[in-house]
Amino acid sequence: MALLDLINVSKNFESQKILEEVNLFINEKEKIALIGKNGSGKSTLLKIIKGSLEIDGGKRIKQGNISIDMLEQNPEFNETYTVGEAIEAHLSELLVKRSEYEKLSEQIATDYTNRSLLSKQAELAAFLDTHNAWNLDNKIERILQEFDLTFYKNSPISLLSGGERRRVALAGLLLKKPDILLLDEPTNHLDVYMTAFLEKMLISDNFTLVFISHDRYFIDKIATRTIEIDSCKLRSFDGGYAEYLSAKEALLSSMQKEHENLLKLLKNEEEWLHRGVRARLKRDEGRKQRVLKMREKAKQNPSVIRKIKLEIEREKYNFNQQKSTNKQKMLFELESVSKTLGTKTLIKNFSMRIMQKERIAVVGKNGSGKSTFLKLLINELNPDSGKIKRGEFETGYFDQQRNMLDDDKNLLETFCPNGGDRVDVQGKNMHVFGYLKNFLFPKKYLDKKIGVLSGGEKNRIALALLFAKKTDCLILDEPTNDLDIPTINILEEYLQNYHGAVLFVSHDRYFTDKTAKKLLIFKGDGDIIESYGSYSEFLEYENELKEIELYEKELNTAETVKTKTDSKKLSYKESQDYSVLPLKIDELEEKIKELKACLANPECYQKIGIEILTKQLFDKENELEPLIERYFEIEDKISRF
């Protein structure tokens, strides 16, 4: 059953058609990706789904009292709130419902035959189950940690940057878990580790989701359906980005010759993606086998773990894949460079050479020093110690502020400042309109002022301008932000054909995998490591190491407990209880979870009976409490020795 339907919906802005008689249904637990060119109507469609934008024709049908919430590009807050208060403001309804449930449970404990109370309890349990609201306090702490907001928990929201404010808003919405969650570019301002956490949460918590994203790996992992908006219409494709590419290619193959260029682009994209997917599946299978074998061997000899960790560290950084670049022209030479901002060391005693034709991605967590590194290269910042030698060459620099653009000039003046209407693009003389058409600009845009363009359009102009200049090296800071997927494909194609060196900062794993031949990994403590593998593969090795370290910790914990119980002279009964109680507690907690789920499901509780289920729940909860107390009593005894 659909939670929301749009039937023959149309939307215009003055004389411009945005959506024309489109139809859309959103089913429970669906995760729908919206893709299309900037300005095609993606954000408009999200606002129509939310109900914050009126439609000009058609119907919007919402099921019952379902909740719909949206992550805005620029979220608004009560500026007097702290970060913690801003998140809790999202959760006011959940906290009230949880408090009501706890009070009802206390009443039912003494009057478990009261059908009115039992019915209300079942209703509240169903609501709390749907919104995963049983353990909110722990979830708040976890999400603050994963989104790097713990430090700001008690800070005023007004002091945060735009990216940090978006992370606070996203954290609140994820914890609230509305019936339909709408996300507009959720991975903007998230590093790859935050994005991985977001992916896991959206999948494991069964969100119903409609989202806009240019992160193609994110789409491929999350989406159960992909909807393309093109020429005011919607076209639906089952699955994520890989399935979309295959279906779109088949569709274009059957259409007119005018689509040949787009078809060629799609074919190249699909071939690249499927090669990567096949390689990743093969690596994943090998790593699973390695971890399983390690677990077996480690039971007899824990030192095996250390050996395997060293092997993985070596593979992760691909030290053996370095290629000689002695015959190439040297662009930058860094000798023992260090840089500190405030009290944080971003770069520590770092040396390297950057040669012509290199493709280097600068990656790492937010705040680890990546953009600072680029500014050192372009001489915008000076190192605290060490030297940076620069060869004789021309550099093109792209940053998020788009400083190379003048809002008072139109596009023709921007590309042809000395008059005329032609530009030289990497040795090829082109008409400015023909060139800008490659960046998806129609001819009518030539006399538009830069100042009236959207953020995404300005980024496209800035990138087009960059390739229209004679340069030997491009330095790009987050070039894919605010770009749509078609434009990112164009950018990738231009970079692949570019004759010089390319250095870029990006959190876009797909773009990085496709563009970079080398990684500079900023560890966050001043250390920088060079790696020659793909970024996705590097992150997979990191996950494998985390899994192994977790297993090592489990082994150490088990050994510590054994040592403690042996040395602290626990009684036989205490030792027995200490080993079996965790299993019993887990079993009871699982049973309690099942009973609560049944109480929240009319088909289940009508079949068994609310009174019987409530009595069973009451008994199990009473059985659980003394076991937990007993376990902590023994823990306390161990800790006191």
Side-chain angles (χ1 to χ4, degrees), residues 49-228:
I49 293 169
K50 184 184 176 186
S52 61
L53 187 64
E54 292 205 6
I55 57 179
D56 297 326
K59 293 181 180 179
R60 174 182 177 272
I61 302 171
K62 187 175 76 163
Q63 182 68 35
N65 294 317
I66 64 166
S67 58
I68 305 175
D69 281 302
M70 179 172 171
L71 176 69
E72 305 281 356
Q73 285 286 355
N74 298 297
E76 295 182 1
F77 297 95
N78 183 327
E79 298 297 323
T80 65
Y81 282 173
T82 65
V83 168
E85 289 167 344
I87 289 176
E88 286 179 5
H90 280 283
L91 309 177
S92 55
E93 185 181 12
L94 299 185
L95 294 169
V96 167
K97 298 280 189 186
R98 193 176 68 176
S99 178
E100 287 178 20
Y101 179 86
E102 288 167 354
K103 288 175 183 175
L104 270 176
S105 298
E106 289 174 8
Q107 290 177 261
I108 290 170
T110 58
D111 184 13
Y112 55 79
T113 60
N114 187 321
R115 297 184 67 85
S116 174
L117 292 178
L118 293 170
S119 178
K120 179 64 176 173
Q121 185 194 45
E123 182 185 325
L124 287 168
F127 178 87
L128 294 170
D129 273 340
T130 299
H131 296 278
N132 294 323
W134 294 106
N135 194 18
L136 277 178
D137 295 334
N138 287 343
K139 289 177 75 174
I140 289 171
E141 293 305 318
R142 172 85 190 281
I143 207 166
L144 284 171
Q145 180 183 342
E146 295 290 348
F147 282 167
D148 199 19
L149 294 168
T150 303
F151 178 78
Y152 303 105
K153 184 177 181 181
N154 298 313
S155 301
I157 196 84
S158 57
L159 297 181
L160 269 58
S161 68
E164 289 162 348
R165 289 166 70 96
R166 267 178 64 86
R167 297 208 299 270
V168 172
L170 179 57
L173 289 173
L174 291 171
L175 291 164
K176 182 180 180 182
K177 199 191 174 192
D179 296 308
I180 299 178
L181 178 59
L182 309 175
L183 300 177
D184 193 349
E185 293 289 2
T187 62
N188 275 5
H189 307 291
L190 300 186
D191 61 34
V192 290
Y193 304 100
M194 297 174 189
T195 298
F197 170 73
L198 175 61
E199 289 171 348
K200 288 176 186 174
M201 195 164 185
L202 291 173
I203 293 169
S204 64
D205 285 3
N206 286 321
F207 277 80
T208 301
L209 177 68
V210 184
F211 67 98
I212 299 167
S213 182
H214 67 259
D215 186 328
R216 289 158 287 179
Y217 279 152
F218 183 77
I219 294 171
D220 209 40
K221 187 155 189 177
I222 296 296
T224 57
R225 186 153 57 108
T226 301
I227 291 178
E228 181 183 52

Side-chain angles (χ1 to χ4, degrees), residues 338-356:
S338 294
K339 185 65 181 177
T340 299
L341 289 181
T343 59
K344 187 169 185 180
T345 300
L346 299 176
I347 301 170
K348 184 170 58 182
N349 198 33
F350 180 60
S351 300
M352 77 170 296
R353 285 185 172 186
I354 298 171
M355 315 300 286
Q356 68 178 140

Side-chain angles (χ1 to χ4, degrees), residues 231-250:
S231 303
C232 307
K233 298 291 187 183
L234 307 186
R235 184 178 284 119
S236 183
F237 302 87
D238 290 335
Y241 187 64
E243 289 84 358
Y244 159 76
L245 284 176
S246 298
K248 182 73 172 178
E249 183 190 332

